Amino acid sequence: MKIIFLGLMKIIFLDIDGVLQPEYSQQRFSHNLEQLKQDMALTNISFSQLDKYDLGAVYYDWDPEAVNLLRLLCEEESARIVISSSWRETRTQECMVALFNIHGLGEYVYDMVPFARERSINREMEIAEYLVSYSELIHKYVIIDDLALNFDRCDIQRCFVRCFQSFSEENFNKAKMLLSD
């Protein structure tokens, strides 16, 4: 479900684990996730279709500061999110939009990098292919991930922001600089 924008876009290629959800954060398992799902479905019926563990992870485990910094980056730079996280392997874009809506970020989710099932293709290659495929739509971009990604092209590598634990103010400042006109 891509939203068509006129003109060029600023894109945030976004990982989730280690960026929005710190690896040490497992609070969801100390809550009643069935009750959370029922309560959330009362506010938005689309939540009733989602996995309770996904709901719990987004609701309880995503770092509020990282979420707020991401929102600020999207707002200030008029940027759109393209999900590059492994979460895209088992979830649809509609599911991801609904999950991001828990924190009011669903409107910024533009697309997901197509997932290549071949073992020889890694995340770096998937993002590089996306950049080639949509080059006519992309004005500027940043890649935010906690993995030590290495891109073959220097112009892509310089747009990489590596997070340690979660998306921090330092990461925000670097990403903002890369997206700024």
Side-chain angles (χ1 to χ4, degrees):
M1 171 182 93
K2 277 190 209 160
I3 302 166
I4 303 300
F5 287 94
L6 298 176
L8 297 173
M9 294 184 291
K10 295 179 180 182
I11 297 294
I12 300 167
F13 290 98
L14 184 68
D15 182 32
I16 294 172
D17 296 321
V19 175
L20 296 179
Q21 181 173 322
E23 293 204 21
Y24 59 82
S25 187
Q26 300 288 313
Q27 297 174 38
R28 67 185 169 276
F29 297 113
S30 61
H31 292 86
N32 182 337
L33 299 180
E34 279 299 329
Q35 187 63 53
L36 173 67
K37 184 174 178 174
Q38 290 173 15
D39 293 346
M40 292 184 78
L42 294 175
T43 63
N44 185 331
I45 192 67
S46 68
F47 292 136
S48 66
Q49 306 301 312
L50 301 176
D51 178 82
K52 67 182 180 181
Y53 295 103
D54 287 347
L55 286 170
V58 174
Y59 190 83
Y60 294 113
D61 295 336
W62 283 18
D63 179 345
E65 180 183 353
V67 168
N68 287 332
L69 287 169
L70 178 63
R71 178 182 301 103
L72 192 60
L73 184 62
C74 290
E75 289 172 357
E76 289 184 3
E77 294 303 322
S78 300
R80 297 291 175 249
I81 297 168
V82 173
I83 298 169
S84 55
S85 169
S86 61
W87 284 43
R88 67 196 154 93
E89 296 175 30
T90 57
R91 295 160 187 91
T92 65
Q93 186 171 338
E94 291 77 21
C95 171
M96 294 305 297
V97 168
L99 290 169
F100 273 70
N101 272 332
I102 292 172
H103 294 289
L105 293 170
E107 68 183 287
Y108 300 110
V109 176
Y110 173 73
D111 199 5
M112 297 195 320
V113 173
F115 176 66
R117 301 225 180 265
E118 298 110 44
R119 289 198 191 281
S120 63
I121 298 179
N122 58 27
R123 189 176 299 179
E124 292 96 322
M125 295 167 79
E126 292 170 335
I127 292 171
E129 284 182 22
Y130 190 97
L131 286 167
V132 169
S133 296
Y134 296 99
S135 62
E136 72 281 354
L137 296 175
I138 300 172
H139 173 55
K140 293 193 175 199
Y141 64 91
V142 64
I143 302 159
I144 303 173
D145 207 306
D146 69 319
L147 297 177
L149 301 179
N150 288 302
F151 294 90
D152 292 337
R153 291 178 32 201
C154 292
D155 60 322
I156 298 176
Q157 188 67 39
R158 73 167 188 79
C159 293
F160 174 55
V161 175
R162 184 166 184 204
C163 297
F164 295 94
Q165 311 237 353
S166 65
F167 189 57
S168 67
E169 192 168 337
E170 180 181 338
N171 301 138
F172 168 84
N173 290 332
K174 183 176 179 186
K176 184 167 176 54
M177 180 194 69
L178 289 166
L179 291 174
S180 293
D181 289 322

